[in-house]
Amino acid sequence: MSSKTLANQSASGGDIAKYAVAVLLAVAGLVAFYWFDGQWPVGIRILAVVLGLVAGAAVFMATAKGVQTKDFLSESRFELRKVVWPSRQEATRTMWVVIAVVILISLMLAGMDVIIQAGVKWLLGNG
């Protein structure tokens, strides 16, 4: 959770215009990719898409929601530093336990499926 209290405010007119520009920039990159098919090399067309997305993201980050997004990502990164990650040995042991449980449950479900299938065949007189 964020340590900051967020005011419930609607987007300003300037922010809405920035959202529209951000979306248009991203769409312009995609349109350029398909519009110049056969005229530009694929690398340049991919670069147009990437530049459109980066420019759109840059415009979005200039809005109030963009600032909130940047703060959220910053706080998330800070919280990730606090996580105690398992050692390689713990992760390997957990992996084998998960694999064993998955195999066991799949065999149990397969057995139940065979029993139900035999019961249905018996009830329908095909068994």
Side-chain angles (χ1 to χ4, degrees):
M1 290 297 240
S2 174
S3 60
K4 302 174 186 173
T5 56
L6 300 175
N8 188 9
Q9 49 185 309
S10 60
S12 68
D15 279 351
I16 292 174
K18 289 177 187 176
Y19 295 148
V21 169
V23 169
L24 287 175
L25 286 169
V27 170
L30 290 172
V31 168
F33 182 83
Y34 291 106
W35 186 270
F36 295 106
D37 186 21
Q39 298 173 11
W40 290 357
V42 175
I44 301 294
R45 291 173 37 222
I46 291 174
L47 183 64
V49 172
V50 170
L51 288 176
L53 291 173
V54 168
V59 170
F60 172 76
M61 294 307 279
T63 65
K65 281 290 182 194
V67 171
Q68 288 177 358
T69 301
K70 185 181 70 131
D71 291 343
F72 172 77
L73 292 175
S74 167
E75 290 179 24
S76 297
R77 193 167 174 212
F78 177 73
E79 290 295 327
L80 276 175
R81 289 190 202 126
K82 295 181 188 178
V83 174
V84 178
W85 297 101
S87 67
R88 183 175 181 88
Q89 184 181 14
E90 290 171 330
T92 302
R93 284 183 185 167
T94 304
M95 175 193 70
W96 287 116
V97 168
V98 168
I99 289 173
V101 169
V102 165
I103 290 171
L104 179 68
I105 290 176
S106 66
L107 290 174
M108 289 171 50
L109 288 173
M112 289 171 38
D113 184 49
V114 168
I115 292 170
I116 291 171
Q117 183 180 15
V120 169
K121 283 184 179 181
W122 180 76
L123 285 172
L124 295 176
N126 295 335

